[in-house]
Amino acid sequence: YEISLGLVGSEMCIRDSRDTISEVAALKIAMMLPFRAIEYDTIDAIDIFKTNKLSNITTDLYLGAQVALDSLRRLGIDVELSIFDTGRKNTKIDSILSVTDFSDTDAIIGPLYSEEVPKVANRAGVPVIFPVYSKKQSSFQSSKIIKTFADREVHQKELVAHILRSYSNENILIIGDSTATSIRNSDLIKSVLLDHDSICLLYTSDA
C-alpha cells in the first residue's frame, strides 16, 4: 500500500490509499521552522506565545507534523524527521544549506518565510512544502515548491464556481470589509454570480 503525506493549513494530513500506492520502506523528512530557540531561551514560554504570532504558527506546525508522523509510524512506515531552526529571516538558511546534504531527503517542510523558499528549493533540489499562505507565493517558479494554500485569485475563482454548481434560487450574502481590495473583490463576485440564472438575489455587507 502507499501513504500520501500532505499539509492543509497548519495541520499535516495523511491519506491512506492502500490499493493504489506502493509501500515505501522509509521516509526522510526535514522541517525548517523559525523556532528562534537561542533567542527565546531566557524568556518565559507564556510571554513568547502571548506576543509572537509566528511562534504560535511554528509550534502548531511542529506539533501537527508530529501527530501525522506518529500515524505513519503506526502504519509501519519508518520515518526519520530532522528539525532545523531557521531563526530570524535570512539569518541561518544559508549556513543550513551549506553544511547539510538533502540529496536523500524525501521532502522539506518549510521554511515559513516566503523569501527563503525559492533558495531552499533551488539549492536542496528536493520537494519543498510551503505550509502557510503568503501574498508572495504567486512569484514561486520552481517546480520543487509545493504550495499548501491556493493563490487568492484561484481560491476566489473556485469558490464562485462551487456556488454556481451547488446552489440555485438562493439568497447569497457576500461579507467583506471596507478596504478597497475587499470592495473590488465583492463587486467582482457579485457581477459573476448575477450573470448566472440560478442566483436570484445578492446582499453585500461590510464586516
Side-chain angles (χ1 to χ4, degrees):
Y1 59 89
E2 182 182 45
I3 305 299
S4 176
L5 180 68
L7 279 165
V8 176
S10 63
E11 297 184 358
M12 187 172 289
C13 308
I14 302 169
R15 182 172 61 254
D16 186 353
S17 305
R18 294 171 185 267
D19 57 341
T20 59
I21 311 176
S22 58
E23 183 176 2
V24 291
L27 285 173
K28 288 190 175 182
I29 305 296
M31 290 194 76
M32 295 184 174
L33 297 174
F35 291 103
R36 293 159 62 177
I38 296 177
E39 180 180 346
Y40 291 144
D41 184 52
T42 58
I43 302 176
D44 189 271
I46 295 177
D47 294 328
I48 295 172
F49 292 113
K50 186 182 298 183
T51 60
N52 193 318
K53 181 179 179 181
L54 186 61
S55 294
N56 286 280
I57 295 172
T58 299
T59 304
D60 285 347
L61 286 168
Y62 174 74
L63 294 176
Q66 289 288 358
V67 170
L69 295 176
D70 285 344
S71 297
L72 285 175
R73 293 183 179 109
R74 286 196 296 271
L75 291 169
I77 305 299
D78 181 19
V79 182
E80 178 183 326
L81 178 64
S82 300
I83 305 295
F84 297 88
D85 185 350
T86 59
R88 289 181 178 271
K89 186 188 301 183
N90 291 323
T91 58
K92 297 179 68 176
I93 282 291
D94 283 329
S95 60
I96 291 171
L97 293 171
S98 295
V99 301
T100 309
D101 180 9
F102 291 102
S103 59
D104 62 347
T105 300
D106 292 290
I108 297 172
I109 301 170
L112 292 195
Y113 295 115
S114 59
E115 297 89 342
E116 298 175 339
V117 174
K119 180 183 294 185
V120 173
N122 292 334
R123 292 179 59 179
V126 300
V128 175
I129 302 169
F130 185 49
V132 293
Y133 173 79
S134 169
K135 292 184 290 185
K136 299 178 181 179
Q137 69 179 34
S138 59
S139 65
F140 293 165
Q141 299 296 322
S142 174
S143 61
K144 297 290 186 182
I145 299 173
I146 301 170
K147 293 183 283 189
T148 57
F149 286 85
D151 294 338
R152 290 287 169 83
E153 295 80 6
V154 175
H155 183 269
Q156 180 172 299
K157 181 179 178 181
E158 291 301 317
L159 175 62
V160 171
H162 170 73
I163 293 173
L164 294 178
R165 287 193 306 267
S166 306
Y167 298 95
S168 62
N169 299 317
E170 303 283 352
N171 296 330
I172 296 177
L173 174 63
I174 301 173
I175 300 177
D177 55 39
S178 57
T179 63
T181 299
S182 178
I183 293 172
R184 183 172 61 252
N185 288 336
S186 296
D187 289 343
L188 177 60
I189 293 172
K190 182 177 179 179
S191 66
V192 173
L193 293 177
L194 285 175
D195 284 340
H196 199 271
D197 293 339
S198 66
I199 304 300
C200 300
L201 187 60
L202 283 168
Y203 302 92
T204 58
S205 173
D206 293 336

Coordinates of all heavy atoms in Angstrom, one line a residue, residues 100-193:
T100 N 24.5 21.0 5.1 CA 23.6 19.9 5.1 C 23.4 19.3 3.7 O 23.1 20.1 2.8 CB 22.2 20.3 5.7 OG1 22.4 21.0 7.0 CG2 21.3 19.1 6.0
D101 N 23.5 18.0 3.6 CA 23.2 17.3 2.3 C 21.7 16.8 2.4 O 21.4 15.9 3.2 CB 24.2 16.2 2.2 CG 23.9 15.4 0.9 OD1 23.1 15.9 0.0 OD2 24.5 14.4 0.7
F102 N 20.9 17.4 1.5 CA 19.5 17.0 1.5 C 19.2 16.0 0.3 O 18.0 15.8 0.0 CB 18.6 18.2 1.3 CG 18.6 19.1 2.6 CD1 19.3 20.3 2.6 CD2 17.8 18.8 3.7 CE1 19.3 21.1 3.7 CE2 17.8 19.6 4.8 CZ 18.5 20.8 4.8
S103 N 20.2 15.5 -0.3 CA 20.0 14.7 -1.5 C 19.2 13.4 -1.2 O 18.5 12.9 -2.1 CB 21.3 14.3 -2.1 OG 22.2 13.6 -1.2
D104 N 19.2 12.9 0.0 CA 18.5 11.7 0.3 C 17.2 12.0 1.1 O 16.6 11.1 1.7 CB 19.3 10.7 1.0 CG 19.8 11.2 2.4 OD1 19.7 12.4 2.6 OD2 20.3 10.3 3.2
T105 N 16.9 13.3 1.2 CA 15.6 13.7 1.9 C 14.5 13.7 0.9 O 14.5 14.1 -0.2 CB 15.8 15.2 2.4 OG1 16.9 15.2 3.3 CG2 14.6 15.6 3.1
D106 N 13.4 13.1 1.4 CA 12.2 13.0 0.5 C 11.4 14.3 0.4 O 10.9 14.6 -0.7 CB 11.2 11.9 1.1 CG 11.8 10.5 1.0 OD1 11.9 10.0 -0.1 OD2 12.2 10.0 2.1
A107 N 11.4 15.1 1.4 CA 10.7 16.4 1.3 C 11.2 17.3 2.5 O 11.6 16.8 3.6 CB 9.2 16.2 1.4
I108 N 11.1 18.6 2.2 CA 11.4 19.6 3.3 C 10.1 20.3 3.5 O 9.5 20.9 2.6 CB 12.5 20.5 2.8 CG1 13.8 19.8 2.6 CG2 12.7 21.7 3.9 CD1 14.9 20.6 2.0
I109 N 9.7 20.4 4.8 CA 8.5 21.2 5.2 C 9.1 22.6 5.7 O 9.8 22.6 6.7 CB 7.7 20.5 6.3 CG1 7.2 19.2 5.7 CG2 6.5 21.4 6.7 CD1 6.6 18.3 6.8
G110 N 8.7 23.7 5.1 CA 9.2 25.0 5.4 C 10.2 25.4 4.4 O 10.4 24.6 3.4
P111 N 10.9 26.5 4.6 CA 10.7 27.4 5.7 C 9.4 28.2 5.6 O 8.7 28.1 4.7 CB 12.0 28.3 5.5 CG 12.2 28.3 4.1 CD 11.9 26.9 3.6
L112 N 9.2 29.1 6.7 CA 8.0 29.8 6.7 C 8.1 31.2 6.0 O 7.1 31.7 5.6 CB 7.5 30.1 8.2 CG 7.1 28.9 9.0 CD1 6.4 29.3 10.3 CD2 6.2 28.0 8.2
Y113 N 9.3 31.7 5.9 CA 9.4 33.0 5.3 C 9.5 32.7 3.8 O 10.3 32.0 3.2 CB 10.7 33.7 5.7 CG 10.7 34.1 7.2 CD1 11.6 33.5 8.1 CD2 9.9 35.1 7.6 CE1 11.6 33.9 9.4 CE2 9.9 35.5 8.9 CZ 10.7 34.9 9.8 OH 10.7 35.3 11.1
S114 N 8.5 33.4 3.0 CA 8.4 33.1 1.6 C 9.7 33.5 0.8 O 10.0 32.8 -0.2 CB 7.2 33.9 1.0 OG 7.4 35.3 1.3
E115 N 10.4 34.5 1.3 CA 11.7 34.8 0.6 C 12.7 33.7 0.6 O 13.6 33.7 -0.2 CB 12.3 36.1 1.2 CG 11.4 37.3 1.1 CD 10.4 37.5 2.3 OE1 10.2 36.5 3.0 OE2 9.9 38.6 2.5
E116 N 12.6 32.9 1.6 CA 13.6 31.8 1.8 C 13.3 30.5 1.0 O 14.2 29.7 0.7 CB 13.8 31.4 3.3 CG 14.3 32.6 4.1 CD 14.3 32.2 5.6 OE1 13.6 31.3 6.0 OE2 15.1 32.9 6.3
V117 N 12.0 30.4 0.6 CA 11.6 29.2 0.0 C 12.2 28.9 -1.3 O 12.7 27.8 -1.6 CB 10.0 29.2 -0.2 CG1 9.5 28.0 -0.9 CG2 9.4 29.2 1.2
P118 N 12.3 29.8 -2.3 CA 13.0 29.5 -3.6 C 14.4 29.1 -3.4 O 14.9 28.3 -4.1 CB 12.8 30.9 -4.3 CG 11.6 31.5 -3.8 CD 11.7 31.2 -2.3
K119 N 15.1 29.8 -2.5 CA 16.5 29.4 -2.2 C 16.7 28.0 -1.8 O 17.5 27.3 -2.3 CB 17.1 30.4 -1.2 CG 18.6 30.1 -0.9 CD 19.1 31.1 0.2 CE 19.1 32.5 -0.2 NZ 19.6 33.4 0.8
V120 N 15.8 27.6 -0.9 CA 15.9 26.2 -0.4 C 15.5 25.2 -1.5 O 16.2 24.2 -1.7 CB 14.9 26.0 0.8 CG1 14.8 24.5 1.2 CG2 15.3 26.8 2.0
A121 N 14.5 25.5 -2.3 CA 14.1 24.6 -3.4 C 15.3 24.5 -4.4 O 15.5 23.4 -4.9 CB 12.9 25.1 -4.1
N122 N 15.9 25.6 -4.7 CA 17.0 25.6 -5.7 C 18.2 24.9 -5.3 O 18.9 24.2 -6.0 CB 17.3 27.0 -6.2 CG 16.2 27.7 -6.9 OD1 15.3 27.0 -7.6 ND2 16.1 29.0 -6.9
R123 N 18.6 25.1 -4.0 CA 19.8 24.5 -3.5 C 19.7 23.1 -3.0 O 20.6 22.3 -3.1 CB 20.4 25.5 -2.5 CG 20.9 26.8 -3.1 CD 21.5 27.7 -2.1 NE 22.6 27.2 -1.3 CZ 23.3 27.9 -0.4 NH1 22.9 29.1 -0.1 NH2 24.3 27.3 0.2
A124 N 18.5 22.8 -2.4 CA 18.3 21.5 -1.8 C 18.0 20.5 -2.9 O 18.4 19.3 -2.8 CB 17.3 21.5 -0.7
G125 N 17.2 20.9 -3.9 CA 16.9 20.0 -5.0 C 15.9 18.9 -4.7 O 15.8 18.0 -5.5
V126 N 15.1 19.1 -3.7 CA 14.1 18.1 -3.3 C 12.8 18.9 -3.1 O 12.8 20.1 -3.0 CB 14.4 17.4 -2.0 CG1 15.8 16.6 -2.2 CG2 14.5 18.3 -0.8
P127 N 11.6 18.2 -3.1 CA 10.4 18.9 -2.9 C 10.3 19.7 -1.6 O 10.8 19.3 -0.5 CB 9.3 17.8 -2.8 CG 10.0 16.7 -3.6 CD 11.4 16.8 -3.3
V128 N 9.9 21.0 -1.7 CA 9.8 21.9 -0.6 C 8.3 22.3 -0.4 O 7.7 22.8 -1.3 CB 10.7 23.1 -0.8 CG1 10.5 24.1 0.3 CG2 12.1 22.8 -0.9
I129 N 7.8 21.9 0.8 CA 6.4 22.2 1.1 C 6.3 23.5 1.8 O 6.8 23.6 2.9 CB 5.8 21.0 1.9 CG1 5.9 19.7 1.1 CG2 4.3 21.3 2.2 CD1 5.6 18.5 2.0
F130 N 5.6 24.5 1.2 CA 5.4 25.8 1.9 C 4.1 25.7 2.6 O 3.0 25.7 2.1 CB 5.3 26.9 0.8 CG 5.3 28.3 1.4 CD1 6.1 28.7 2.3 CD2 4.3 29.1 0.9 CE1 6.1 30.0 2.9 CE2 4.2 30.4 1.4 CZ 5.1 30.8 2.4
P131 N 4.2 25.6 4.0 CA 3.0 25.2 4.8 C 2.0 26.3 5.2 O 1.1 26.1 5.9 CB 3.6 24.6 6.0 CG 4.9 25.4 6.2 CD 5.4 25.7 4.8
V132 N 2.3 27.6 4.7 CA 1.4 28.7 5.1 C 1.1 29.5 3.8 O 1.7 29.2 2.7 CB 2.1 29.6 6.1 CG1 2.2 28.9 7.4 CG2 3.4 30.1 5.6
Y133 N 0.2 30.4 3.9 CA -0.1 31.3 2.8 C 0.7 32.6 2.8 O 0.9 33.1 3.9 CB -1.6 31.6 2.7 CG -2.0 32.6 1.6 CD1 -2.1 32.2 0.3 CD2 -2.1 34.0 2.0 CE1 -2.3 33.2 -0.7 CE2 -2.3 34.9 0.9 CZ -2.4 34.5 -0.4 OH -2.7 35.4 -1.4
S134 N 1.1 33.0 1.7 CA 1.8 34.3 1.5 C 1.4 35.0 0.2 O 1.2 34.3 -0.8 CB 3.3 34.1 1.6 OG 3.9 35.4 1.2
K135 N 1.2 36.3 0.3 CA 0.9 37.0 -0.9 C 2.0 36.9 -2.0 O 1.7 37.0 -3.2 CB 0.6 38.5 -0.6 CG -0.6 38.8 0.2 CD -0.8 40.3 0.4 CE 0.2 40.9 1.3 NZ 0.0 42.3 1.6
K136 N 3.2 36.6 -1.5 CA 4.3 36.5 -2.4 C 4.5 35.1 -3.1 O 5.3 34.9 -3.9 CB 5.6 36.8 -1.6 CG 5.6 38.3 -1.1 CD 6.9 38.5 -0.3 CE 6.9 39.9 0.3 NZ 8.1 40.2 1.1
Q137 N 3.6 34.2 -2.7 CA 3.8 32.8 -3.2 C 3.5 32.7 -4.7 O 3.9 31.8 -5.3 CB 2.9 31.8 -2.4 CG 1.4 32.0 -2.6 CD 0.7 30.9 -1.8 OE1 1.0 30.6 -0.7 NE2 -0.4 30.5 -2.4
S138 N 2.8 33.7 -5.2 CA 2.5 33.6 -6.7 C 3.7 33.8 -7.5 O 3.8 33.5 -8.7 CB 1.5 34.7 -7.0 OG 1.9 36.0 -6.7
S139 N 4.8 34.3 -6.9 CA 6.1 34.5 -7.6 C 6.9 33.3 -7.6 O 8.0 33.2 -8.3 CB 6.9 35.7 -7.0 OG 7.3 35.4 -5.7
F140 N 6.5 32.2 -6.9 CA 7.3 31.0 -6.9 C 7.4 30.4 -8.3 O 6.4 30.2 -8.9 CB 6.7 29.9 -5.9 CG 6.8 30.3 -4.5 CD1 6.0 29.6 -3.5 CD2 7.6 31.3 -4.0 CE1 6.0 30.0 -2.2 CE2 7.6 31.7 -2.7 CZ 6.9 31.0 -1.8
Q141 N 8.6 30.0 -8.7 CA 8.8 29.5 -10.1 C 9.2 28.0 -10.1 O 8.9 27.3 -11.0 CB 9.8 30.3 -10.8 CG 9.5 31.8 -11.0 CD 8.2 32.0 -11.9 OE1 8.0 31.3 -12.8 NE2 7.4 32.9 -11.5
S142 N 9.9 27.6 -9.0 CA 10.4 26.3 -9.0 C 9.4 25.2 -9.0 O 8.4 25.3 -8.2 CB 11.4 26.1 -7.8 OG 11.8 24.7 -7.7
S143 N 9.5 24.2 -9.8 CA 8.6 23.0 -9.8 C 8.7 22.2 -8.5 O 7.9 21.3 -8.2 CB 8.8 22.1 -11.0 OG 10.1 21.6 -11.0
K144 N 9.8 22.5 -7.7 CA 10.0 21.7 -6.5 C 9.2 22.3 -5.3 O 9.0 21.6 -4.3 CB 11.5 21.8 -6.1 CG 12.5 21.2 -7.1 CD 12.4 19.7 -7.0 CE 13.5 19.1 -7.9 NZ 13.3 17.6 -7.9
I145 N 8.6 23.5 -5.5 CA 7.8 24.1 -4.4 C 6.4 23.6 -4.5 O 5.7 23.7 -5.5 CB 7.9 25.6 -4.5 CG1 9.3 26.1 -4.4 CG2 7.0 26.2 -3.4 CD1 9.5 27.6 -4.6
I146 N 5.9 23.1 -3.3 CA 4.5 22.7 -3.2 C 3.8 23.6 -2.3 O 4.1 23.7 -1.1 CB 4.4 21.2 -2.7 CG1 5.2 20.3 -3.6 CG2 3.0 20.8 -2.5 CD1 5.4 18.9 -3.0
K147 N 2.8 24.4 -2.8 CA 2.1 25.3 -2.0 C 0.9 24.6 -1.4 O 0.1 23.9 -2.1 CB 1.6 26.5 -2.9 CG 2.7 27.3 -3.4 CD 2.2 28.5 -4.2 CE 1.8 28.1 -5.6 NZ 1.5 29.3 -6.5
T148 N 0.6 24.8 -0.1 CA -0.5 24.1 0.5 C -1.7 25.0 0.6 O -2.8 24.5 1.0 CB -0.1 23.8 2.0 OG1 0.3 24.9 2.7 CG2 1.1 22.8 2.0
F149 N -1.6 26.2 0.2 CA -2.7 27.1 0.1 C -2.8 27.7 -1.4 O -1.8 28.1 -1.9 CB -2.6 28.3 1.0 CG -2.9 28.0 2.5 CD1 -1.9 27.5 3.3 CD2 -4.2 28.1 3.0 CE1 -2.1 27.2 4.6 CE2 -4.4 27.8 4.4 CZ -3.4 27.3 5.2
A150 N -4.0 27.7 -1.9 CA -4.1 28.2 -3.3 C -3.9 29.7 -3.3 O -4.2 30.4 -2.2 CB -5.5 27.9 -3.8
D151 N -3.4 30.3 -4.4 CA -3.4 31.7 -4.5 C -4.8 32.3 -4.4 O -5.8 31.7 -4.7 CB -2.8 32.1 -5.9 CG -1.3 31.7 -6.0 OD1 -0.7 31.6 -4.9 OD2 -0.8 31.6 -7.1
R152 N -4.9 33.5 -3.9 CA -6.2 34.1 -3.6 C -7.1 34.1 -4.8 O -8.3 33.9 -4.7 CB -6.0 35.5 -3.0 CG -5.4 35.5 -1.6 CD -6.5 35.1 -0.6 NE -5.8 34.8 0.7 CZ -5.6 35.8 1.6 NH1 -5.8 37.0 1.4 NH2 -5.0 35.4 2.8
E153 N -6.5 34.5 -6.0 CA -7.3 34.6 -7.2 C -7.9 33.2 -7.6 O -9.0 33.1 -8.0 CB -6.5 35.1 -8.3 CG -6.0 36.5 -8.2 CD -4.8 36.6 -7.2 OE1 -4.3 35.6 -6.8 OE2 -4.4 37.8 -6.9
V154 N -7.1 32.1 -7.4 CA -7.5 30.8 -7.7 C -8.6 30.4 -6.8 O -9.6 29.8 -7.1 CB -6.3 29.8 -7.7 CG1 -6.8 28.4 -7.8 CG2 -5.3 30.1 -8.7
H155 N -8.4 30.7 -5.5 CA -9.4 30.3 -4.4 C -10.7 31.0 -4.7 O -11.8 30.4 -4.6 CB -8.9 30.7 -3.1 CG -9.8 30.4 -1.9 ND1 -10.7 31.2 -1.5 CD2 -9.8 29.2 -1.2 CE1 -11.4 30.7 -0.5 NE2 -10.9 29.5 -0.3
Q156 N -10.7 32.3 -5.1 CA -11.9 33.0 -5.3 C -12.6 32.5 -6.5 O -13.9 32.3 -6.5 CB -11.6 34.5 -5.6 CG -12.8 35.4 -5.8 CD -12.5 36.8 -5.9 OE1 -12.0 37.4 -4.9 NE2 -12.7 37.5 -7.0
K157 N -11.9 32.1 -7.6 CA -12.5 31.6 -8.8 C -13.2 30.2 -8.5 O -14.3 30.0 -9.0 CB -11.4 31.4 -9.9 CG -11.9 30.9 -11.2 CD -10.8 30.8 -12.2 CE -11.3 30.2 -13.5 NZ -10.2 30.1 -14.5
E158 N -12.5 29.4 -7.7 CA -13.1 28.1 -7.4 C -14.3 28.2 -6.5 O -15.2 27.4 -6.6 CB -12.0 27.2 -6.8 CG -10.9 26.8 -7.8 CD -11.5 26.0 -9.0 OE1 -12.4 25.1 -8.7 OE2 -11.1 26.3 -10.1
L159 N -14.2 29.2 -5.6 CA -15.4 29.4 -4.7 C -16.6 29.8 -5.5 O -17.7 29.3 -5.2 CB -15.0 30.5 -3.7 CG -16.1 30.9 -2.7 CD1 -16.6 29.7 -1.9 CD2 -15.7 32.1 -1.8
V160 N -16.4 30.7 -6.4 CA -17.6 31.1 -7.3 C -18.1 30.0 -8.1 O -19.3 29.7 -8.2 CB -17.2 32.3 -8.2 CG1 -18.3 32.6 -9.2 CG2 -16.9 33.6 -7.3
A161 N -17.2 29.2 -8.7 CA -17.6 28.0 -9.5 C -18.4 27.0 -8.6 O -19.3 26.4 -9.1 CB -16.3 27.4 -10.1
H162 N -17.9 26.8 -7.4 CA -18.6 25.9 -6.4 C -20.0 26.4 -6.2 O -21.0 25.6 -6.2 CB -17.9 25.8 -5.2 CG -18.6 25.0 -4.1 ND1 -18.8 23.7 -4.1 CD2 -19.2 25.5 -2.9 CE1 -19.5 23.3 -3.1 NE2 -19.8 24.4 -2.3
I163 N -20.2 27.7 -5.9 CA -21.5 28.3 -5.7 C -22.4 28.1 -6.9 O -23.6 27.7 -6.7 CB -21.4 29.8 -5.3 CG1 -20.7 30.0 -4.0 CG2 -22.8 30.4 -5.3 CD1 -20.4 31.4 -3.7
L164 N -21.9 28.3 -8.1 CA -22.7 28.2 -9.3 C -23.1 26.7 -9.5 O -24.2 26.5 -10.0 CB -21.9 28.7 -10.5 CG -21.7 30.2 -10.5 CD1 -20.9 30.6 -11.7 CD2 -23.0 31.0 -10.4
R165 N -22.2 25.8 -9.2 CA -22.5 24.4 -9.3 C -23.5 23.9 -8.3 O -24.3 23.0 -8.6 CB -21.3 23.5 -9.2 CG -20.3 23.6 -10.4 CD -19.3 22.5 -10.4 NE -18.6 22.5 -9.1 CZ -17.4 23.1 -8.9 NH1 -16.9 23.8 -9.8 NH2 -16.8 23.0 -7.7
S166 N -23.5 24.4 -7.1 CA -24.1 23.8 -6.0 C -25.4 24.5 -5.5 O -26.2 23.9 -4.8 CB -23.2 23.8 -4.8 OG -22.0 23.1 -5.1
Y167 N -25.7 25.7 -5.9 CA -26.8 26.4 -5.4 C -27.7 27.0 -6.5 O -27.2 27.4 -7.6 CB -26.4 27.6 -4.5 CG -25.6 27.1 -3.3 CD1 -24.2 27.1 -3.3 CD2 -26.3 26.7 -2.1 CE1 -23.5 26.6 -2.2 CE2 -25.5 26.3 -1.0 CZ -24.2 26.2 -1.1 OH -23.5 25.8 0.0
S168 N -29.0 27.0 -6.3 CA -29.9 27.6 -7.2 C -31.1 28.2 -6.5 O -31.4 27.7 -5.4 CB -30.4 26.6 -8.3 OG -31.1 25.6 -7.6
N169 N -31.6 29.3 -7.0 CA -32.7 30.1 -6.3 C -32.4 30.4 -4.9 O -33.2 30.2 -4.0 CB -34.0 29.2 -6.4 CG -34.4 29.0 -7.8 OD1 -34.3 29.9 -8.7 ND2 -34.8 27.7 -8.1
E170 N -31.1 30.8 -4.6 CA -30.7 31.1 -3.3 C -30.5 32.6 -3.1 O -30.2 33.4 -4.0 CB -29.4 30.4 -3.0 CG -29.4 28.9 -3.2 CD -30.1 28.2 -2.0 OE1 -30.4 28.8 -1.0 OE2 -30.3 27.0 -2.1
N171 N -30.6 33.1 -1.8 CA -30.2 34.4 -1.5 C -28.8 34.3 -0.9 O -28.6 33.5 0.1 CB -31.2 35.0 -0.4 CG -32.6 35.2 -1.0 OD1 -32.7 35.4 -2.2 ND2 -33.6 35.1 -0.1
I172 N -27.9 35.1 -1.4 CA -26.5 34.9 -1.0 C -26.0 36.2 -0.4 O -26.2 37.3 -1.0 CB -25.6 34.5 -2.2 CG1 -26.0 33.2 -2.8 CG2 -24.1 34.5 -1.9 CD1 -25.3 32.7 -4.0
L173 N -25.3 36.1 0.7 CA -24.7 37.3 1.4 C -23.2 37.2 1.2 O -22.5 36.3 1.5 CB -25.0 37.2 2.9 CG -24.4 38.3 3.8 CD1 -24.9 39.7 3.4 CD2 -24.7 38.0 5.2
I174 N -22.7 38.3 0.6 CA -21.2 38.4 0.5 C -20.7 39.4 1.6 O -21.1 40.5 1.6 CB -20.9 39.0 -0.9 CG1 -21.4 38.1 -2.0 CG2 -19.3 39.2 -1.1 CD1 -21.2 38.7 -3.4
I175 N -19.8 38.9 2.4 CA -19.3 39.7 3.5 C -17.9 40.0 3.3 O -17.0 39.2 3.0 CB -19.4 38.9 4.9 CG1 -20.9 38.5 5.1 CG2 -18.9 39.7 6.0 CD1 -21.1 37.7 6.4
G176 N -17.6 41.3 3.4 CA -16.2 41.8 3.2 C -16.0 42.9 4.3 O -16.7 43.0 5.3
D177 N -14.9 43.7 4.0 CA -14.7 44.8 4.9 C -14.6 46.1 4.0 O -15.0 46.0 2.8 CB -13.4 44.7 5.7 CG -12.2 44.4 4.8 OD1 -12.1 45.0 3.7 OD2 -11.3 43.6 5.2
S178 N -14.3 47.2 4.5 CA -14.3 48.5 3.8 C -13.1 48.8 3.0 O -13.0 49.9 2.5 CB -14.6 49.6 4.8 OG -13.7 49.6 5.8
T179 N -12.1 47.9 3.0 CA -10.9 48.1 2.2 C -11.2 48.1 0.7 O -12.2 47.4 0.3 CB -9.8 47.1 2.5 OG1 -10.3 45.8 2.1 CG2 -9.5 47.1 4.0
A180 N -10.4 48.8 0.0 CA -10.6 48.9 -1.5 C -10.5 47.5 -2.1 O -11.3 47.2 -3.0 CB -9.5 49.8 -2.1
T181 N -9.6 46.6 -1.6 CA -9.4 45.3 -2.2 C -10.7 44.5 -1.9 O -11.2 43.8 -2.8 CB -8.2 44.6 -1.6 OG1 -7.0 45.3 -1.9 CG2 -8.1 43.2 -2.1
S182 N -11.2 44.5 -0.7 CA -12.4 43.8 -0.4 C -13.6 44.2 -1.2 O -14.4 43.4 -1.7 CB -12.7 43.9 1.1 OG -13.9 43.2 1.4
I183 N -13.8 45.5 -1.4 CA -14.9 46.0 -2.1 C -14.8 45.6 -3.6 O -15.8 45.2 -4.2 CB -14.9 47.6 -2.0 CG1 -15.3 48.0 -0.6 CG2 -16.0 48.2 -3.0 CD1 -15.1 49.5 -0.3
R184 N -13.6 45.7 -4.1 CA -13.4 45.3 -5.5 C -13.7 43.8 -5.7 O -14.3 43.4 -6.7 CB -11.9 45.6 -5.9 CG -11.6 45.2 -7.4 CD -10.2 45.7 -7.8 NE -9.2 45.1 -7.0 CZ -8.4 45.7 -6.1 NH1 -8.7 47.0 -5.8 NH2 -7.5 45.1 -5.5
N185 N -13.2 43.0 -4.8 CA -13.5 41.5 -4.9 C -14.9 41.2 -4.7 O -15.5 40.3 -5.4 CB -12.7 40.8 -3.8 CG -11.2 40.7 -4.1 OD1 -10.8 40.9 -5.3 ND2 -10.4 40.5 -3.1
S186 N -15.6 41.9 -3.8 CA -17.0 41.7 -3.6 C -17.8 42.0 -4.9 O -18.7 41.3 -5.3 CB -17.5 42.5 -2.4 OG -16.9 42.1 -1.2
D187 N -17.5 43.2 -5.5 CA -18.2 43.6 -6.7 C -17.9 42.6 -7.8 O -18.8 42.3 -8.6 CB -17.7 45.0 -7.1 CG -18.2 46.1 -6.2 OD1 -19.1 45.8 -5.4 OD2 -17.6 47.2 -6.2
L188 N -16.7 42.1 -7.9 CA -16.4 41.1 -8.9 C -17.2 39.8 -8.8 O -17.8 39.3 -9.7 CB -14.9 40.8 -8.9 CG -14.4 39.7 -9.9 CD1 -14.7 40.2 -11.4 CD2 -12.9 39.5 -9.8
I189 N -17.2 39.3 -7.5 CA -18.0 38.1 -7.2 C -19.5 38.3 -7.5 O -20.2 37.5 -8.1 CB -17.8 37.7 -5.8 CG1 -16.3 37.2 -5.6 CG2 -18.8 36.5 -5.4 CD1 -16.0 37.0 -4.1
K190 N -20.0 39.5 -7.1 CA -21.4 39.8 -7.3 C -21.7 39.8 -8.8 O -22.8 39.3 -9.2 CB -21.7 41.2 -6.7 CG -23.1 41.6 -6.8 CD -23.4 42.9 -6.0 CE -24.8 43.3 -6.1 NZ -25.0 44.6 -5.4
S191 N -20.9 40.5 -9.6 CA -21.2 40.6 -11.0 C -21.2 39.2 -11.7 O -22.0 38.9 -12.6 CB -20.2 41.5 -11.7 OG -18.9 40.9 -11.7
V192 N -20.2 38.3 -11.3 CA -20.2 37.0 -11.9 C -21.4 36.2 -11.5 O -22.0 35.5 -12.3 CB -18.9 36.3 -11.4 CG1 -18.9 34.8 -11.9 CG2 -17.7 37.0 -12.0
L193 N -21.8 36.3 -10.2 CA -23.0 35.5 -9.8 C -24.3 36.0 -10.4 O -25.1 35.2 -10.7 CB -23.0 35.5 -8.3 CG -21.9 34.8 -7.5 CD1 -22.1 35.0 -6.0 CD2 -21.8 33.3 -7.9

